[in-house]
Amino acid sequence: MREESQEKKEELHRRKVMDVAVEAGHILLESGAEIFRVEETIERICRHYGVESENAFVLSNGIFATAGNEREQYYAKVQHIPVSGAKLNRVAAVNQLSREIEEGRYSIDEVKERLACIKEMKGKSKPTQVLASAVGSATFCYLFGGNLRDSLAAFVAGFLLYLFVLYLGVPHLSKIIANIAGSAMVTVVSVLLFELGLGEHLNSMIIGSIIPLIPGVSFTNAIRDIADGDYIAGSVRMLDAVLVFLCIAMGVGLVMNGYHRIAQY
């Protein structure tokens, strides 16, 4: 009886460790972390809490994890994680938690509580994101050859762009439509400001203004995944980033084509 009771406790412990490890991987993958980082974190948590038979297979939108051998009961867990934007504050928090786990600071129940807190972490406030978009647009406009007047116009366009993204694009539109509409809107704003004489270099104004839409982190992680041999996950992320690039180009191209046709008359 004691042996059976001990086996049940060990089985419950392995299940709890696997659940916690996969939850940590879920948060990382959902927040835009690289594939190798997700697999490494799952492995570290399992190894630290005594689950040596763990195996994890991670894709860009899913985790498949198993544990067990000829002496242990097999346990499997699968989670689907939709491709989403980067949340680097959560990635940093889970990485720090992983280091603290290896230092022996937490029990498995405490780790579960910490992960629940990390999952509820909020990003930057909407006013901060809007202001960052405006400042980033103005800065990149200047870096791409614009002058101070162009940067001021890009500041206005970037400000309006992220108001659109946060309050209309993300809540109500699909990713494709949101990127086409956002890039078209920011191009229209840049053209209007250019025609009003606020800016002098239209190309620099438009380039600077659309920078907040560029999926730089996703594109970089896609390259890193491919370089690490995770070809499927890297290809999916690369396709997602390229799709955004095409949507942005489509939105800008449609407006500029209409603008030049109107200018001819």
Side-chain angles (χ1 to χ4, degrees):
M1 292 293 291
R2 288 184 177 179
E3 290 181 359
E4 291 182 1
S5 177
Q6 183 64 26
E7 288 180 2
K8 287 183 178 180
K9 287 183 179 179
E10 290 178 357
E11 181 184 342
L12 289 174
H13 175 73
R14 284 195 298 270
R15 286 176 177 270
K16 185 180 291 186
V17 171
M18 286 296 296
D19 286 340
V20 169
V22 172
E23 181 64 19
H26 182 122
I27 295 172
L28 285 173
L29 194 59
E30 187 178 47
S31 302
E34 306 92 325
I35 300 300
F36 81 89
R37 191 185 302 276
V38 178
E39 294 176 338
E40 185 180 72
T41 300
I42 294 175
E43 180 184 351
R44 284 184 177 185
I45 293 175
C46 289
R47 186 177 64 245
H48 178 79
Y49 291 108
V51 181
E52 299 290 344
S53 56
E54 167 273 334
N55 283 291
F57 176 58
V58 181
L59 296 174
S60 57
N61 60 346
I63 297 176
F64 307 82
T66 63
N69 53 36
E70 64 277 1
R71 292 172 297 151
E72 300 173 353
Q73 184 173 352
Y74 278 94
Y75 174 70
K77 191 172 182 67
V78 178
Q79 284 196 1
H80 172 256
I81 298 98
V83 177
S84 58
K87 302 179 182 67
L88 299 183
N89 58 330
R90 295 184 185 179
V91 174
V94 175
N95 287 340
Q96 181 61 33
L97 177 61
S98 177
R99 298 187 192 98
E100 293 172 352
I101 288 172
E102 290 204 318
E103 294 172 1
R105 297 190 188 183
Y106 304 108
S107 67
I108 190 65
D109 291 321
E110 290 172 334
V111 174
K112 189 175 182 179
E113 292 175 2
R114 288 292 305 275
L115 287 174
C117 293
I118 292 173
K119 197 168 185 178
E120 297 300 322
M121 286 177 63
K122 295 182 179 179
K124 300 297 183 182
S125 65
K126 289 183 178 180
T128 302
Q129 293 181 58
V130 172
L131 182 60
S133 172
V135 173
S137 296
T139 304
F140 277 103
C141 175
Y142 190 79
L143 290 175
F144 283 107
N147 54 30
L148 292 178
R149 293 176 62 188
D150 299 329
S151 295
L152 179 59
F155 182 94
V156 175
F159 185 90
L160 295 175
L161 169 65
Y162 236 68
L163 287 176
F164 168 84
V165 169
L166 293 176
Y167 293 100
L168 183 60
V170 173
H172 305 294
L173 301 176
S174 69
K175 190 173 185 178
I176 293 176
I177 299 301
N179 281 294
I180 293 175
S183 57
M185 186 210 73
V186 83
T187 306
V188 169
V189 172
S190 297
V191 168
L192 290 176
L193 294 175
F194 175 76
E195 290 295 325
L196 292 173
L198 182 58
E200 299 177 7
H201 303 90
L202 181 57
N203 288 342
S204 299
M205 291 163 57
I206 294 175
I207 293 172
S209 300
I210 63 174
I211 286 294
L213 293 176
I214 302 297
V217 175
S218 298
F219 185 74
T220 302
N221 285 347
I223 295 174
R224 293 186 65 176
D225 287 339
I226 292 173
D228 289 331
D230 295 308
Y231 300 116
I232 297 176
S235 299
V236 171
R237 286 184 169 174
M238 181 69 73
L239 179 61
D240 183 65
V242 169
L243 183 62
V244 174
F245 295 148
L246 291 175
C247 291
I248 293 172
M250 187 181 299
V252 174
L254 287 172
V255 175
M256 290 303 295
N257 183 55
Y259 171 65
H260 288 306
R261 286 179 179 275
I262 293 172
Q264 290 177 356
Y265 296 102

